[in-house]
Amino acid sequence: MTVVTFENGRYELDSGESVLEGLQRHGVSIPSSCCSGVCQTCLLLAVKGTVPAEGQKGLKPSLQQQNYFLACICKPTVDIEIALPGDEVRHRVAARVVEKEFLNADIFRLRLACDEPFEYFPGQFIRLYHPDGLVRSYSLASIPEDKILELHIRHLPNGKMTTWLKQQINAGDNVEIEGPSGDCFYLAGNEHQNLLMIGTGTGLAPLFGIIRDALQKGHQGPIHLYHGSHQPEGLYLETELKKLAEQYSNFHYTPCVSSETCPDGYEQGRANEVALKNHPDLKGWKAYLCGHPDMVAKTKTKIYLAGASLNDIFSDPFVLSEACATS
């Protein structure tokens, strides 16, 4: 007999009983629908303990690696503590700003050193706290080997958080963070697979971390990065990315400019459109899409129609809050 701990309650499961069946028998309600592992409505996280592989059947490898599982088909053999997605037990971590550097007129790089070990996958995101309690999410552009956390932040003229970070936070100042979260990161195991990376604006941040992580882990297949902006001035890290392409023959960087006037050295057009034009057949490819939510949503569909499996499409849409004009 195993015990499931959920929201401070302890519930015994009968032999052969799924987590969903056991919780329902005890009068505990969680989201569910098909009860057969297809709809994934009953997705949960194992905060403590190990769940059997059968309970993760059909989930993306990135979710499996983070201990997510489907309650309707999971029959644990050991005691586990579980949480609803997004309700994971986390705690704030104190961090110190070690560097702030503008990468273009609007985007600056913030590098943080944590006061305690902070484990993450490059490409995931953290939450950063304002002294007034405001919280915003920022993707990680760093890799663990950097020994620091790197964020790329676009300043919003009326944004309380970004204005505070731009005008008041400097090297040596302390901040609080929480996380990590997100399933948009590199997974080792298929080192010859083609990788397609498409980003707009600071959507480059998670892609920068994912690319460096893949190369550091010995990825052999081609990695194509398309980063787009309306004007060349909106792009950043061009020098670093070109050097990376010179260092690794399997990494290819294409900066894209969507304005009608396109200088030499840039591809004319939106990054997603250029990428799909250059790679019309994406069967067997893995794709990462980061940046504007409309671009991410539309491109995800097009990449699927071009042959990529849905399980091989990872995305990080940068959705602003309703209060984005003042936050």
Side-chain angles (χ1 to χ4, degrees):
M1 182 177 295
T2 57
V3 174
V4 172
T5 301
F6 176 60
E7 294 183 340
N8 297 319
R10 289 171 55 83
Y11 308 100
E12 293 184 349
L13 301 185
D14 290 339
S15 177
E17 194 172 39
S18 71
V19 171
L20 178 61
E21 292 169 336
L23 291 178
Q24 290 178 334
R25 181 171 54 81
H26 286 286
V28 179
S29 177
I30 63 170
S32 64
S33 181
C34 72
C35 298
S36 60
V38 176
C39 71
Q40 300 189 3
T41 303
C42 62
L43 183 70
L44 295 174
L45 172 70
V47 178
K48 293 181 181 179
T50 302
V51 295
E54 186 65 25
Q56 298 180 311
K57 188 175 181 180
L59 293 181
K60 285 186 175 183
S62 57
L63 292 176
Q64 296 176 7
Q65 194 165 340
Q66 295 178 87
N67 294 324
Y68 284 94
F69 67 94
L70 299 175
C72 68
I73 59 174
C74 179
K75 299 177 181 180
T77 57
V78 297
D79 295 349
I80 57 173
E81 180 180 341
I82 64 175
L84 291 168
D87 291 344
E88 301 91 331
V89 179
R90 302 186 187 277
H91 67 284
R92 296 189 190 183
V93 175
R96 175 174 49 85
V97 178
V98 296
E99 182 184 10
K100 184 169 75 172
E101 174 192 9
F102 269 86
L103 302 173
N104 64 23
D106 300 315
I107 298 171
F108 57 95
R109 169 162 50 197
L110 206 64
R111 285 178 166 154
L112 311 174
C114 295
D115 289 351
E116 59 184 82
F118 190 87
E119 296 182 358
Y120 66 95
F121 295 107
Q124 289 189 295
F125 63 88
I126 61 171
R127 288 169 287 277
L128 193 151
Y129 283 83
H130 187 278
D132 292 342
L134 182 71
V135 60
R136 289 290 178 264
S137 297
Y138 297 103
S139 294
L140 292 164
S142 51
I143 61 177
E145 289 75 15
D146 293 336
K147 306 300 182 184
I148 54 91
L149 305 180
E150 179 172 320
L151 313 177
H152 299 167
I153 300 170
R154 179 186 297 278
H155 175 238
L156 303 176
N158 297 318
K160 182 176 180 180
M161 174 67 84
T162 60
T163 298
W164 173 65
L165 292 172
K166 177 186 177 183
Q167 298 182 355
Q168 300 183 42
I169 291 297
N170 295 294
D173 290 338
N174 296 318
V175 295
E176 284 190 320
I177 64 172
E178 184 183 73
S181 297
D183 65 348
C184 187
F185 53 81
Y186 177 74
L187 288 166
N190 192 351
E191 65 273 12
H192 294 288
Q193 187 174 24
N194 293 347
L195 304 183
L196 178 62
M197 315 275 184
I198 303 175
T200 56
T202 52
L204 177 62
L207 298 179
F208 188 58
I210 294 168
I211 290 165
R212 293 174 62 217
D213 187 42
L215 293 172
Q216 196 265 348
K217 290 178 177 175
H219 191 84
Q220 299 297 310
I223 303 175
H224 293 271
L225 168 65
Y226 293 82
H227 184 214
S229 180
H230 183 61
Q231 299 287 349
E233 295 78 13
L235 299 172
Y236 66 98
L237 291 188
E238 293 175 82
T239 300
E240 289 89 336
L241 290 166
K242 289 176 181 177
K243 287 182 178 178
L244 203 62
E246 292 174 359
Q247 182 181 357
Y248 294 92
S249 60
N250 63 322
F251 173 59
H252 311 278
Y253 166 54
T254 305
C256 303
V257 173
S258 60
S259 63
E260 293 184 3
T261 303
C262 181
D264 292 340
Y266 300 87
E267 285 279 348
Q268 200 282 325
R270 299 181 183 274
N272 57 328
E273 295 172 353
V274 174
L276 289 167
K277 180 185 69 174
N278 291 347
H279 310 285
D281 183 2
L282 296 174
K283 184 177 181 180
W285 286 56
K286 182 173 291 184
Y288 296 85
L289 313 171
C290 303
H292 196 283
D294 288 343
M295 182 280 291
V296 169
K298 293 176 182 178
T299 308
K300 186 174 183 177
T301 299
K302 291 180 179 179
I303 286 177
Y304 171 70
L305 293 175
S309 166
L310 282 177
N311 284 336
D312 278 337
I313 304 175
F314 298 83
S315 62
D316 187 3
F318 284 18
V319 181
L320 295 176
S321 70
E322 294 179 0
C324 64
T326 57
S327 61

